[in-house]
Amino acid sequence: MMQGDFDFSVLVDSLPFLWTGLQFTLKLTMVAMLGGIAFGTLLALARLSPIAPLAKVASWYVNSMRSIPLVMVILWFFLVIPLITGTPLGAENSALVTFTLFEAAFYCEIMRAGILSVSRGQVAAGYAVGFTYSQNMRLVVLPQAFRNMLPVLLTQTIVLFQDTSLVYAIGAKDLLKAAEVAGKNYNRPVEMVVFVAIIYFVICSSLSFTVKRLQQRMAIKR
Amino acid sequence: MNYHWNWGIFLEQVKSGDETYLDWLLTGFGWTVAVSLSAWVIALSLGILLGVLRTMPSRALAAAATAWVELFRNIPLLVQMFLWFFVVPELLPREWGLWVKQDLPAKEFLTATICLGLFTSSRVAEQVRAGIQALPHGQVMAGLAMGLSLPQTYRYVLLPMALRMVVPPLTSELMNVFKNSSVAFAIGVLELTFQAKQMQEDSEQGIETFFAVTVLYFICAFTANRVMAVIERRTRIPGTIAGQQ
């Protein structure tokens, strides 16, 4: 197949198949985002806690996740989880666990910056009205930190959405894998790669456009 | 956990030849370093050029540079690898495409390097643009008022300041290049991640394999970090908070 010999008509037939792949990609993004933000916030609290060993463990976890390539992390979890649990987990479930734990390290750093951006007076005021540490965090600090960091959290989610394509390394059936399989079935791999690139591009640029708008709106409000 | 440990595996011969597993990993390390450093050269030169273009008064130039950055930022790196590897040869004239597919030496390495270089260039461009825009507007005006042309103003006034300011974010970008080079396994570059998968299958000693590969990646990231720290110290701008020691 050479120049001028593209055939994009197969795309229509393969749409339902690609949709199942995109569904997994979206599910993986959502699970890793929600789980990652939850666990990441806990990690951030641990990193900022006065209990030294806790802070040390959390920062060790975050730094190691951030210095290993994601592909290697995916391969590590795919290998190690079945060894610990004793049963094979399947590529898709392994991806869900891996991305949640991996992204938590990145969300942690964002939430830590967010918490540090809340003014000291707020914390003091919370304690002054008699809040405990956990009430103070839940009701005063975290809501503000979360709000301040919302655009950054969303930008990280766009990065996460793109990174989910790396589950290719363990053969999980995401959008990219679906495109590859469809490309083989219809013998049109080139068109499929182009099509999938367009899908990623459209989703990511509209998301980043939305984040930019959100950022502008929030900037005016203060 | 039922796992048969064998830390001596690295010195054993691979099943399919007379090399040891250590040879595989060292080859992989070499390719990882080669891809990353060559991609970094492309990323830095193109990224600085694009960053400058994005701050130019010319609307058309700035828009073109913005489009470039958006294009490379909004497609996953792995998909970009496939685009360069499978699609770009099809877009070339017939003979060229055939030549690229059949005769181009070190095809996987070149593809991965170009792809990773251009991908990273869009990120470097953003940092350089931020650096230039962080300078007071008076700097451009002063340069122009002294009779320097716009390119001269960039060369002698803006870039010497901006580039030194963005060394810390460029440090993380350099570390990212090493990490991102792992994606090149997908088009068959014999770099570390490729070797990790190959050795895991061949030796069935996954944990030892991945441990060694992870250590090698750590070494890359750590070295990159230290080298950039030296550059950062040497290029500090006097009179700033960073330069006061």
PDB file of all heavy atoms in Angstrom, chain B residues 219-240:
ATOM      1  N   ILE B 219      19.706   5.250  37.326  1.00  0.00           N
ATOM      2  CA  ILE B 219      21.030   5.818  37.058  1.00  0.00           C
ATOM      3  C   ILE B 219      20.919   6.921  35.999  1.00  0.00           C
ATOM      4  O   ILE B 219      21.494   8.007  36.134  1.00  0.00           O
ATOM      5  CB  ILE B 219      22.008   4.711  36.614  1.00  0.00           C
ATOM      6  CG1 ILE B 219      22.272   3.765  37.790  1.00  0.00           C
ATOM      7  CG2 ILE B 219      23.311   5.299  36.083  1.00  0.00           C
ATOM      8  CD1 ILE B 219      23.115   2.562  37.440  1.00  0.00           C
ATOM      9  N   CYS B 220      20.152   6.655  34.940  1.00  0.00           N
ATOM     10  CA  CYS B 220      19.953   7.674  33.889  1.00  0.00           C
ATOM     11  C   CYS B 220      19.371   8.951  34.478  1.00  0.00           C
ATOM     12  O   CYS B 220      19.895  10.049  34.268  1.00  0.00           O
ATOM     13  CB  CYS B 220      18.973   7.162  32.819  1.00  0.00           C
ATOM     14  SG  CYS B 220      19.636   5.873  31.791  1.00  0.00           S
ATOM     15  N   ALA B 221      18.261   8.791  35.231  1.00  0.00           N
ATOM     16  CA  ALA B 221      17.567   9.959  35.758  1.00  0.00           C
ATOM     17  C   ALA B 221      18.465  10.724  36.720  1.00  0.00           C
ATOM     18  O   ALA B 221      18.552  11.959  36.683  1.00  0.00           O
ATOM     19  CB  ALA B 221      16.275   9.527  36.455  1.00  0.00           C
ATOM     20  N   PHE B 222      19.182   9.980  37.559  1.00  0.00           N
ATOM     21  CA  PHE B 222      20.025  10.616  38.567  1.00  0.00           C
ATOM     22  C   PHE B 222      21.172  11.383  37.903  1.00  0.00           C
ATOM     23  O   PHE B 222      21.457  12.538  38.255  1.00  0.00           O
ATOM     24  CB  PHE B 222      20.578   9.537  39.521  1.00  0.00           C
ATOM     25  CG  PHE B 222      21.352  10.096  40.664  1.00  0.00           C
ATOM     26  CD1 PHE B 222      20.683  10.718  41.715  1.00  0.00           C
ATOM     27  CD2 PHE B 222      22.723  10.026  40.696  1.00  0.00           C
ATOM     28  CE1 PHE B 222      21.384  11.249  42.779  1.00  0.00           C
ATOM     29  CE2 PHE B 222      23.437  10.557  41.753  1.00  0.00           C
ATOM     30  CZ  PHE B 222      22.765  11.173  42.796  1.00  0.00           C
ATOM     31  N   THR B 223      21.811  10.753  36.912  1.00  0.00           N
ATOM     32  CA  THR B 223      22.915  11.421  36.221  1.00  0.00           C
ATOM     33  C   THR B 223      22.417  12.692  35.530  1.00  0.00           C
ATOM     34  O   THR B 223      23.054  13.750  35.637  1.00  0.00           O
ATOM     35  CB  THR B 223      23.531  10.476  35.169  1.00  0.00           C
ATOM     36  OG1 THR B 223      23.722   9.199  35.761  1.00  0.00           O
ATOM     37  CG2 THR B 223      24.844  11.002  34.660  1.00  0.00           C
ATOM     38  N   ALA B 224      21.286  12.562  34.838  1.00  0.00           N
ATOM     39  CA  ALA B 224      20.730  13.732  34.157  1.00  0.00           C
ATOM     40  C   ALA B 224      20.498  14.857  35.159  1.00  0.00           C
ATOM     41  O   ALA B 224      20.845  16.020  34.922  1.00  0.00           O
ATOM     42  CB  ALA B 224      19.415  13.354  33.469  1.00  0.00           C
ATOM     43  N   ASN B 225      19.942  14.494  36.305  1.00  0.00           N
ATOM     44  CA  ASN B 225      19.647  15.477  37.340  1.00  0.00           C
ATOM     45  C   ASN B 225      20.917  16.168  37.840  1.00  0.00           C
ATOM     46  O   ASN B 225      20.972  17.393  37.974  1.00  0.00           O
ATOM     47  CB  ASN B 225      18.926  14.753  38.484  1.00  0.00           C
ATOM     48  CG  ASN B 225      18.459  15.702  39.541  1.00  0.00           C
ATOM     49  OD1 ASN B 225      19.275  16.329  40.200  1.00  0.00           O
ATOM     50  ND2 ASN B 225      17.152  15.831  39.689  1.00  0.00           N
ATOM     51  N   ARG B 226      21.975  15.374  38.099  1.00  0.00           N
ATOM     52  CA  ARG B 226      23.220  15.958  38.622  1.00  0.00           C
ATOM     53  C   ARG B 226      23.893  16.872  37.595  1.00  0.00           C
ATOM     54  O   ARG B 226      24.376  17.950  37.913  1.00  0.00           O
ATOM     55  CB  ARG B 226      24.194  14.845  39.032  1.00  0.00           C
ATOM     56  CG  ARG B 226      23.821  14.072  40.287  1.00  0.00           C
ATOM     57  CD  ARG B 226      23.727  14.940  41.514  1.00  0.00           C
ATOM     58  NE  ARG B 226      22.380  15.455  41.687  1.00  0.00           N
ATOM     59  CZ  ARG B 226      22.061  16.515  42.414  1.00  0.00           C
ATOM     60  NH1 ARG B 226      22.984  17.193  43.042  1.00  0.00           N
ATOM     61  NH2 ARG B 226      20.813  16.907  42.517  1.00  0.00           N
ATOM     62  N   VAL B 227      23.937  16.402  36.331  1.00  0.00           N
ATOM     63  CA  VAL B 227      24.572  17.210  35.292  1.00  0.00           C
ATOM     64  C   VAL B 227      23.856  18.553  35.162  1.00  0.00           C
ATOM     65  O   VAL B 227      24.486  19.622  35.108  1.00  0.00           O
ATOM     66  CB  VAL B 227      24.558  16.457  33.937  1.00  0.00           C
ATOM     67  CG1 VAL B 227      24.977  17.378  32.807  1.00  0.00           C
ATOM     68  CG2 VAL B 227      25.474  15.254  34.006  1.00  0.00           C
ATOM     69  N   MET B 228      22.511  18.496  35.173  1.00  0.00           N
ATOM     70  CA  MET B 228      21.756  19.738  35.039  1.00  0.00           C
ATOM     71  C   MET B 228      21.961  20.631  36.261  1.00  0.00           C
ATOM     72  O   MET B 228      21.958  21.853  36.145  1.00  0.00           O
ATOM     73  CB  MET B 228      20.270  19.436  34.845  1.00  0.00           C
ATOM     74  CG  MET B 228      19.930  18.845  33.506  1.00  0.00           C
ATOM     75  SD  MET B 228      20.369  19.887  32.089  1.00  0.00           S
ATOM     76  CE  MET B 228      18.927  20.926  31.969  1.00  0.00           C
ATOM     77  N   ALA B 229      22.158  20.020  37.434  1.00  0.00           N
ATOM     78  CA  ALA B 229      22.378  20.819  38.641  1.00  0.00           C
ATOM     79  C   ALA B 229      23.672  21.613  38.514  1.00  0.00           C
ATOM     80  O   ALA B 229      23.750  22.780  38.922  1.00  0.00           O
ATOM     81  CB  ALA B 229      22.410  19.919  39.872  1.00  0.00           C
ATOM     82  N   VAL B 230      24.697  20.979  37.928  1.00  0.00           N
ATOM     83  CA  VAL B 230      25.961  21.685  37.716  1.00  0.00           C
ATOM     84  C   VAL B 230      25.740  22.858  36.757  1.00  0.00           C
ATOM     85  O   VAL B 230      26.168  23.989  37.015  1.00  0.00           O
ATOM     86  CB  VAL B 230      27.032  20.716  37.146  1.00  0.00           C
ATOM     87  CG1 VAL B 230      28.272  21.490  36.719  1.00  0.00           C
ATOM     88  CG2 VAL B 230      27.374  19.656  38.169  1.00  0.00           C
ATOM     89  N   ILE B 231      25.019  22.585  35.653  1.00  0.00           N
ATOM     90  CA  ILE B 231      24.743  23.652  34.687  1.00  0.00           C
ATOM     91  C   ILE B 231      23.960  24.787  35.357  1.00  0.00           C
ATOM     92  O   ILE B 231      24.245  25.962  35.158  1.00  0.00           O
ATOM     93  CB  ILE B 231      23.963  23.086  33.480  1.00  0.00           C
ATOM     94  CG1 ILE B 231      24.839  22.077  32.745  1.00  0.00           C
ATOM     95  CG2 ILE B 231      23.501  24.196  32.551  1.00  0.00           C
ATOM     96  CD1 ILE B 231      24.171  21.390  31.592  1.00  0.00           C
ATOM     97  N   GLU B 232      22.998  24.386  36.193  1.00  0.00           N
ATOM     98  CA  GLU B 232      22.182  25.391  36.874  1.00  0.00           C
ATOM     99  C   GLU B 232      23.058  26.298  37.743  1.00  0.00           C
ATOM    100  O   GLU B 232      22.905  27.515  37.755  1.00  0.00           O
ATOM    101  CB  GLU B 232      21.121  24.682  37.718  1.00  0.00           C
ATOM    102  CG  GLU B 232      20.033  25.600  38.238  1.00  0.00           C
ATOM    103  CD  GLU B 232      19.056  24.842  39.119  1.00  0.00           C
ATOM    104  OE1 GLU B 232      18.743  23.680  38.816  1.00  0.00           O
ATOM    105  OE2 GLU B 232      18.618  25.429  40.123  1.00  0.00           O
ATOM    106  N   ARG B 233      24.014  25.672  38.461  1.00  0.00           N
ATOM    107  CA  ARG B 233      24.889  26.461  39.339  1.00  0.00           C
ATOM    108  C   ARG B 233      25.771  27.403  38.526  1.00  0.00           C
ATOM    109  O   ARG B 233      25.933  28.562  38.851  1.00  0.00           O
ATOM    110  CB  ARG B 233      25.759  25.514  40.164  1.00  0.00           C
ATOM    111  CG  ARG B 233      25.561  25.691  41.645  1.00  0.00           C
ATOM    112  CD  ARG B 233      26.582  25.023  42.531  1.00  0.00           C
ATOM    113  NE  ARG B 233      27.339  23.948  41.969  1.00  0.00           N
ATOM    114  CZ  ARG B 233      26.997  22.662  42.018  1.00  0.00           C
ATOM    115  NH1 ARG B 233      25.873  22.302  42.602  1.00  0.00           N
ATOM    116  NH2 ARG B 233      27.771  21.726  41.493  1.00  0.00           N
ATOM    117  N   ARG B 234      26.307  26.873  37.412  1.00  0.00           N
ATOM    118  CA  ARG B 234      27.220  27.673  36.594  1.00  0.00           C
ATOM    119  C   ARG B 234      26.523  28.835  35.913  1.00  0.00           C
ATOM    120  O   ARG B 234      27.155  29.834  35.599  1.00  0.00           O
ATOM    121  CB  ARG B 234      27.843  26.785  35.501  1.00  0.00           C
ATOM    122  CG  ARG B 234      28.733  25.695  36.025  1.00  0.00           C
ATOM    123  CD  ARG B 234      30.194  26.115  35.906  1.00  0.00           C
ATOM    124  NE  ARG B 234      31.063  25.199  36.604  1.00  0.00           N
ATOM    125  CZ  ARG B 234      31.631  24.138  36.029  1.00  0.00           C
ATOM    126  NH1 ARG B 234      31.419  23.905  34.747  1.00  0.00           N
ATOM    127  NH2 ARG B 234      32.394  23.343  36.720  1.00  0.00           N
ATOM    128  N   THR B 235      25.224  28.681  35.609  1.00  0.00           N
ATOM    129  CA  THR B 235      24.551  29.694  34.781  1.00  0.00           C
ATOM    130  C   THR B 235      23.636  30.588  35.601  1.00  0.00           C
ATOM    131  O   THR B 235      22.821  31.308  35.052  1.00  0.00           O
ATOM    132  CB  THR B 235      23.708  29.037  33.676  1.00  0.00           C
ATOM    133  OG1 THR B 235      22.729  28.203  34.298  1.00  0.00           O
ATOM    134  CG2 THR B 235      24.553  28.220  32.741  1.00  0.00           C
ATOM    135  N   ARG B 236      23.742  30.511  36.933  1.00  0.00           N
ATOM    136  CA  ARG B 236      22.917  31.355  37.785  1.00  0.00           C
ATOM    137  C   ARG B 236      22.975  32.820  37.380  1.00  0.00           C
ATOM    138  O   ARG B 236      24.054  33.319  37.040  1.00  0.00           O
ATOM    139  CB  ARG B 236      23.426  31.248  39.211  1.00  0.00           C
ATOM    140  CG  ARG B 236      22.473  30.590  40.114  1.00  0.00           C
ATOM    141  CD  ARG B 236      23.068  30.558  41.472  1.00  0.00           C
ATOM    142  NE  ARG B 236      22.826  29.271  42.075  1.00  0.00           N
ATOM    143  CZ  ARG B 236      23.620  28.686  42.943  1.00  0.00           C
ATOM    144  NH1 ARG B 236      24.753  29.263  43.283  1.00  0.00           N
ATOM    145  NH2 ARG B 236      23.288  27.540  43.478  1.00  0.00           N
ATOM    146  N   ILE B 237      21.860  33.515  37.456  1.00  0.00           N
ATOM    147  CA  ILE B 237      21.863  34.929  37.099  1.00  0.00           C
ATOM    148  C   ILE B 237      22.239  35.744  38.329  1.00  0.00           C
ATOM    149  O   ILE B 237      21.533  35.690  39.337  1.00  0.00           O
ATOM    150  CB  ILE B 237      20.479  35.362  36.577  1.00  0.00           C
ATOM    151  CG1 ILE B 237      20.078  34.465  35.391  1.00  0.00           C
ATOM    152  CG2 ILE B 237      20.481  36.820  36.184  1.00  0.00           C
ATOM    153  CD1 ILE B 237      18.671  34.661  34.926  1.00  0.00           C
ATOM    154  N   PRO B 238      23.327  36.502  38.287  1.00  0.00           N
ATOM    155  CA  PRO B 238      23.725  37.298  39.445  1.00  0.00           C
ATOM    156  C   PRO B 238      22.631  38.305  39.809  1.00  0.00           C
ATOM    157  O   PRO B 238      21.969  38.837  38.912  1.00  0.00           O
ATOM    158  CB  PRO B 238      24.982  38.034  38.963  1.00  0.00           C
ATOM    159  CG  PRO B 238      25.438  37.296  37.763  1.00  0.00           C
ATOM    160  CD  PRO B 238      24.230  36.677  37.156  1.00  0.00           C
ATOM    161  N   GLY B 239      22.444  38.519  41.095  1.00  0.00           N
ATOM    162  CA  GLY B 239      21.464  39.513  41.518  1.00  0.00           C
ATOM    163  C   GLY B 239      20.078  38.965  41.735  1.00  0.00           C
ATOM    164  O   GLY B 239      19.207  39.649  42.245  1.00  0.00           O
ATOM    165  N   THR B 240      19.825  37.691  41.351  1.00  0.00           N
ATOM    166  CA  THR B 240      18.537  37.099  41.665  1.00  0.00           C
ATOM    167  C   THR B 240      18.671  36.298  42.944  1.00  0.00           C
ATOM    168  O   THR B 240      19.776  36.113  43.456  1.00  0.00           O
ATOM    169  CB  THR B 240      18.077  36.145  40.541  1.00  0.00           C
ATOM    170  OG1 THR B 240      19.045  35.100  40.416  1.00  0.00           O
ATOM    171  CG2 THR B 240      17.958  36.866  39.234  1.00  0.00           C
TER     172      THR B 240
END
